[in-house]
Amino acid sequence: MRITMCKTEYEPNPIGIDVLKPRLFWRLEAEERGVKQQAYQVLVSSSQDKLDQDEADCWDSGKVESRSSVHVTYEGQPLQSQREYWWKVRVWDNRGREAWSEPAYWTMGILTRGEWKAKWIGRKPQLGPGASTDLQPCPYLRKSFEVRSAVRRAVVYATALGLFRLSVNGREIGHLFAPGWTDYDTRVQVHAFDMTDSLRQGENAFGVMLGDGWYSGTVGFLGSRVYGERPFLLLQASIEYEDGSRELVVSDGSWRVSEGPLRYSDMIMGETYDARLELDGWDRPGYNAASWETPDIRAGYNGLLTARMEPPIRITETVKPISIRKTEAGSYIYDMGQNMVGWTEVGASGARGTRITLSHAEMLNPDGTLYLENLRLASQQDHYVLRGEGEERYEPHFTFHGFRYVELIGYPGEPDLTTITGKVIHSDTPAAGSLETSDPMVNKLYANITWGQRGNFLSVPTDCPQRDERLGWTGDAQIFARTASYNMDVSRFFTKYMQDIIDCQQPSGAFADVAPDAGWIRYKMWSTRLNWFAPDNAGWGDAGVIIPWTLYLMYGDTRMLETHYEAMTRWVDYLEANSDGLIRPDYANYGDWLSIQADTPNEVLATAYFAYSAKLMGRIAGTLGRTEDQRRYEALFDNIAAAFRGEFASGDGFIRGDTQTVYVLALQFGLLTDSLKAHAVRRLTANIREKGDRLSTGFLGVGYLLPALTDSGELDVAYKLLTQEAFPSWMYSIKHGATTIWERWDGWTEENGFQTPQMNSFNHYSLGSVGEWMFRYMAGIEADPAEPGFRHIRIRPRPGGRLTHVHASYESLYGTIGVKWELANAGELRLEIDVPANATATVHVPGSQARVDGNDASKPGEGCEWLGEQDGDGNRNRDKGAMFRVGSGRYVFTSAFAPLAVNP
């Protein structure tokens, strides 16, 4: 038995946190079956030396009889600002063994406002001749300081109103696009970095580049300078010497500031970099900054300074182009082979003053030129002016693009496939899921879903990475949250995003459509062009309840529920107060966004989501032990469901609107009686058949479509929709070269070409919410609300369609869950599963004559208990099977199985 993957607040060895009761996580690993933790003991010390001696001067939990190995709350001495805390855990298992983990640590950030001695500094406004009122040069700031003796530990705490890139003695430390996007009027995130190894005795230097970012740059179509006029830096470094003394280096009036080669760098408008203006050695010791300016000092900041919650943004992959073509104009167009988000690095040598332009686009026009119309007012162009001194390399700093194609303009010489390199950037949410099937088209669909997530998870879940929008739409986020959680570890990403949602909750209790707000509410209320005056939007505001519940299911995070419980109750109270007989009004602006020839009535959709939020609030209240609230919300749900049936449903199962989405939501949210349910399923499947086995759902219906069909005994219909290749379908875009999920089903069609460029992104994750079904149903890896976070796993694969095998895995907090099912020609199903240590699973083996590791089902062997046979759920008896309860380990099941008819 081994103890691995020690984490604090979901992160290995985090620096500068501000959680006063942090949660600890660890993982058991063992080869044997049925291994469980019986007890644990956590030791927390103020130094590694003390921990090595088992001197727990901060906390000794004692031996705790418990299986808990995630979300174990620190209960020791009060944590102190900027201190280190070292910890390890001892585990006893059910086989009488014990093992210690390796040491882990966390450090606390600056916990009180009074400890901040730094000032906000920036560059004074440039109002002289030639000064731009739109795109402004990025400030360069530097500070020399002395280190007088050997350093034990040095930590720098930095944030910005805007973006910053920090270097110490010429070595860049930190993350891209720091400190991330928040509503700056409310809070800004402080990043902490250990810089001990970057310091030397004698003179040292800080160098900082500031970017406008979301603060003073362009924020989608909301304009520029949404939060402020220009960027500012706040930096405080604490240097602890070996002799025990400490010194601070802070941002203040002693710093120097200048402009430099970065003429502008804007999220939406691209970047210009003039290498002729480079400041050689500006971020290193010994540089002469006598000609630089004194900084502008901001009087203060009224928002909160909170520790970084989100995962860092990083370059996670490099991509080489697959082809190059010279145009008649003399430029060169590269195909990167993948629609991606980030930028391109270019290498060149040429005459001083030569201007190179890199222009980015997702698609090509029929004539082979870049398709730029869908960018609207965005400019995905980066300009580089050569210095003229040999080989030069350039990549941008504070901008990013969504693209597959790159046009290289003004290049000196003949470029080749090595001239440019694509850099993929996103919030570094580690891959959690893997999925591979016997069908290459299904595999491509899954790849497109994950690429769409990578391209749009950048500090917040954006709706698109290329045009002048890139906003954090809440409805898109909630419908995709479960898929996102299977694909990647989004625990910290959505923890931060939920805070964004809370920060812009309205006084009425309404959750917003967009988070961070960035002026969206004011913009839409003043825009006569949009005419979007709804005070709330169903499916968008409900994200404030759905996302916390999703994190609870996937990670067992009850603190998320506790922290935001009051905000969630305010939302449901708001919905109830703004309803008529529990029927919601029809004023929503978005509805089932971008459905295909299927107009779902707003009042039906809004009432269904109202019921769902009430239902989830009942479950949340029950989880938190709030039994009175649980009863209240359960009764509220029952009453809304009754009102829904009375207002919208007929005895024959007809629901107002008669769209796929109205039936899907009614079925999935549990709004119908058993008899009405059967009628609704028949109407739903008839609607699908009438459309030629094709879907018509938009953003809010698509994620529930295949689950509703499967749960209703229509697995064959679900598989037909999954693998349908005619328009509209997931496979239609793949047939036509898609490498990401498109915003619209009809973003491009053979008959009509491109849709309206006013809203036509080719990288948008929402319609990829089918990924949830692929994991939960097709592969059969499901969470259990009674033991969330996959402490207990429900494994129930649904073979069907034209698939003959599915291999899937999910990296849970407990370890890797694996499911592999394969169909043999002889009618045998082989199911191999892996359950991590300290977890258990209930396994449903479809078919008949089930065996375990070659043994009869009634005599399954070690670690496995036969629970009996189970009837099918309506899928023409193909879902009948044997039930087992298993402990950790690997198991191989076989059964006689008659597959569904192959989709022609």
Side-chain angles (χ1 to χ4, degrees), residues 213-235:
W214 296 279
Y215 180 76
S216 52
T218 310
V219 180
F221 49 73
L222 301 177
S224 61
R225 295 169 171 78
V226 167
Y227 297 100
E229 177 192 23
R230 52 206 158 87
F232 286 86
L233 169 75
L234 185 73
L235 180 148

Side-chain angles (χ1 to χ4, degrees), residues 760-814:
N760 198 22
S761 166
F762 292 93
N763 192 348
H764 196 300
Y765 57 75
S766 293
L767 297 179
S769 55
V770 66
E772 173 186 343
W773 179 88
M774 296 166 78
F775 274 100
R776 292 178 58 204
Y777 293 86
M778 188 175 75
I781 301 175
E782 173 68 295
D784 183 348
E787 295 187 70
F790 297 93
R791 185 163 110 154
H792 183 73
I793 311 150
R794 295 175 176 174
I795 297 177
R796 187 177 190 177
R798 266 86 163 190
R802 63 195 189 200
L803 301 186
T804 57
H805 79 249
V806 170
H807 297 171
S809 68
Y810 175 68
E811 197 73 16
S812 75
L813 290 174
Y814 293 90

Side-chain angles (χ1 to χ4, degrees), residues 325 332-344 357-365 367-376 378-382 400-409 420 465-467 470 737 739-740 742 754 760-763:
R325 173 176 56 85
Y332 298 85
I333 292 182
Y334 288 87
D335 181 358
M336 306 304 293
Q338 173 64 52
N339 196 0
M340 54 183 277
V341 173
W343 55 68
T344 44
T357 296
L358 295 155
S359 187
H360 304 79
E362 294 182 297
M363 302 285 273
L364 297 177
N365 289 309
D367 64 1
T369 58
L370 297 190
Y371 173 64
L372 301 174
E373 285 78 7
N374 70 329
L375 301 182
R376 301 192 303 212
S379 175
Q380 291 203 125
Q381 291 192 339
D382 301 320
F400 66 92
H401 313 299
F403 65 98
R404 172 174 174 170
Y405 300 96
V406 182
E407 185 170 10
L408 182 59
I409 305 168
I420 70 168
Q466 75 297 98
R467 68 176 179 240
R470 313 185 197 186
T739 61
T740 45
W742 293 355
F754 291 117
N760 198 22
S761 166
F762 292 93
N763 192 348

Side-chain angles (χ1 to χ4, degrees), residues 345-547:
E345 179 187 32
V346 62
S349 59
R352 183 178 178 84
T354 301
R355 181 183 175 95
I356 297 172
T357 296
L358 295 155
S359 187
H360 304 79
E362 294 182 297
M363 302 285 273
L364 297 177
N365 289 309
D367 64 1
T369 58
L370 297 190
Y371 173 64
L372 301 174
E373 285 78 7
N374 70 329
L375 301 182
R376 301 192 303 212
L377 297 180
S379 175
Q380 291 203 125
Q381 291 192 339
D382 301 320
H383 309 284
Y384 178 72
V385 181
L386 268 65
R387 183 170 179 164
E389 299 179 6
E391 178 69 21
E392 303 176 43
R393 300 205 68 81
Y394 162 75
E395 58 185 299
H397 300 79
F398 299 115
T399 190
F400 66 92
H401 313 299
F403 65 98
R404 172 174 174 170
Y405 300 96
V406 182
E407 185 170 10
L408 182 59
I409 305 168
Y411 189 81
E414 289 288 331
D416 57 26
L417 291 177
T418 67
T419 301
I420 70 168
T421 302
K423 302 289 184 74
V424 179
I425 65 161
H426 55 88
S427 292
D428 192 4
T429 50
S434 69
L435 188 68
E436 185 271 330
T437 78
S438 57
D439 190 327
M441 294 277 281
V442 175
N443 297 340
K444 186 60 178 174
L445 172 60
Y446 179 65
N448 289 4
I449 292 170
T450 58
W451 273 101
Q453 180 171 341
R454 294 174 71 184
N456 285 286
F457 276 33
L458 197 150
S459 189
V460 302
T462 62
D463 61 318
C464 59
Q466 75 297 98
R467 68 176 179 240
D468 60 338
E469 190 165 348
R470 313 185 197 186
L471 301 177
W473 290 94
T474 52
D476 308 36
Q478 67 86 4
I479 200 66
F480 190 73
R482 193 77 181 273
T483 297
S485 301
Y486 276 110
N487 292 341
M488 301 177 186
D489 178 359
V490 292
S491 52
R492 292 157 59 216
F493 182 85
F494 273 122
T495 295
K496 182 267 183 183
Y497 184 62
M498 263 312 299
Q499 189 61 62
D500 294 330
I501 291 176
I502 299 301
D503 284 346
C504 53
Q505 187 175 20
Q506 297 300 287
S508 64
F511 284 124
D513 313 335
V514 167
D517 173 68
W520 163 251
I521 294 174
R522 177 178 173 83
Y523 176 88
K524 78 166 188 174
M525 290 303 178
W526 282 77
S527 175
T528 55
R529 178 184 66 84
L530 289 175
N531 196 32
W532 284 352
F533 302 119
D536 64 87
N537 277 282
W540 273 257
D542 298 283
V545 176
I546 295 171
I547 291 176

Side-chain angles (χ1 to χ4, degrees), residues 578-601:
N578 289 275
S579 300
D580 184 1
L582 300 180
I583 299 298
R584 293 280 292 138
D586 65 353
Y587 55 52
N589 301 133
Y590 317 132
D592 190 26
W593 190 247
L594 298 182
S595 58
I596 291 290
Q597 298 176 351
D599 188 12
T600 295

